[in-house]
Amino acid sequence: DIQMTQSPSSLSASVGDRITITCRASQGINNWLAWYQQKPDKAPKSLIYAASSLQSGVPPRFSGSGFGTDFTLTISSLQPEDFATYYCQQYNTHPPTFGGGTRVEIQ
Amino acid sequence: EVQLVQSGGGLIQPGGSLRLSCAASGFSVSHNYMSWVRQAPGKGLQWVSVIYSGGTTHYADSVKGRFTISRDISKNMFFLQMNGLRAEDSAVYFCARDYPSSPGFFDPWGQGTLVTVSS
């Protein structure tokens, strides 16, 4: 199975900050990479697919980039509702696998 | 509105069986890939199973031979039959649709249902 490694595992930031989360795949996955946001006791919410395509309804402050093994999720100006845990997921190779998550906390 | 609503789950003894249900609205389960993903308490997400539009099924190695994914097209629902449950199967189980233009990307998700395997 492809291993997905996210960094950092957690970060503290303030409203208005620009933050970047990194996701690395153990082998090349082309651009078949998704990002999800999850708040406590809620289902994940889809944010980005195909590495950089913003899902409908997701604010443009979210952006994704990358190809092959290295990917990033950027939030350009952190808003109060963005404090959550973020997961990357590869779907290039079966089975689909997720990163361990990055918890974004209020500083 | 494209939506998934789950039912089932609960407390079950080791070795027991449970069936989870997922009702779809706004789209047809027969024309989409439908998946189950689980999350153990305080842990990350783990893909469990998928049923393709043609009916082919796949499972994570950890549940193969014990779990069965199926669907009822007439009710626009799909299911996860879980047999031989173990403590390590305890988790919140989410149903999800594979996004049609990017299969493997999950959207939308069900609200989740808790399965606790304990004596």
Side-chain angles (χ1 to χ4, degrees):
Chain A
D1 298 0
I2 294 178
Q3 305 304 312
M4 304 300 293
T5 303
Q6 285 183 237
S7 61
S9 57
S10 67
L11 67 89
S12 295
S14 300
V15 172
D17 285 352
R18 177 185 180 92
I19 67 164
T20 297
I21 298 168
T22 297
C23 180
R24 175 164 290 175
S26 60
Q27 63 190 75
I29 58 170
N30 297 297
N31 70 329
W32 301 119
L33 190 284
W35 290 97
Y36 303 92
Q37 176 194 69
Q38 188 179 32
K39 296 183 178 179
D41 299 321
K42 296 294 186 182
K45 173 188 174 183
S46 55
L47 297 176
I48 288 171
Y49 63 99
S52 60
S53 296
L54 208 61
Q55 180 64 326
S56 175
V58 175
R61 63 180 179 272
F62 290 90
S63 64
S65 65
F67 187 88
T69 60
D70 295 311
F71 301 85
T72 60
L73 171 70
T74 298
I75 307 175
S76 60
S77 179
L78 208 56
Q79 297 302 299
E81 60 268 30
D82 299 337
F83 292 95
T85 300
Y86 293 85
Y87 293 94
C88 64
Q89 177 229 333
Q90 70 81 22
Y91 53 104
N92 179 75
T93 303
H94 205 77
T97 48
F98 293 85
T102 296
R103 183 174 178 181
V104 177
E105 301 174 313
I106 301 174
Q107 190 166 49
Chain B
E1 180 189 5
V2 172
Q3 191 176 7
L4 293 169
V5 177
Q6 299 181 225
S7 58
L11 175 63
I12 189 76
Q13 292 188 340
S17 298
L18 211 54
R19 188 174 89 152
L20 306 183
S21 301
C22 187
S25 57
F27 70 96
S28 171
V29 299
S30 64
H31 296 156
N32 287 269
Y33 298 178
M34 307 302 301
S35 291
W36 290 94
V37 176
R38 70 185 181 183
Q39 186 171 37
K43 302 297 184 182
L45 299 163
Q46 180 191 27
W47 173 82
V48 173
S49 181
V50 63
I51 183 166
Y52 292 158
S53 51
T56 300
T57 60
H58 293 284
Y59 300 91
D61 287 345
S62 57
V63 307
K64 201 172 294 182
R66 301 187 297 122
F67 289 12
T68 303
I69 191 172
S70 64
R71 63 189 179 183
D72 184 331
I73 294 172
S74 67
K75 295 181 179 178
N76 209 29
M77 296 179 69
F78 68 111
F79 309 95
L80 187 67
Q81 177 68 42
M82 305 182 293
N83 299 330
L85 282 161
R86 306 166 179 167
E88 56 265 33
D89 295 319
S90 295
V92 175
Y93 285 72
F94 299 100
C95 61
R97 181 188 69 169
D98 286 41
Y99 195 61
S101 61
S102 198
F105 168 57
F106 302 120
D107 180 82
W109 296 64
Q111 81 275 19
T113 187
L114 178 63
V115 172
T116 302
V117 184
S118 175
S119 54

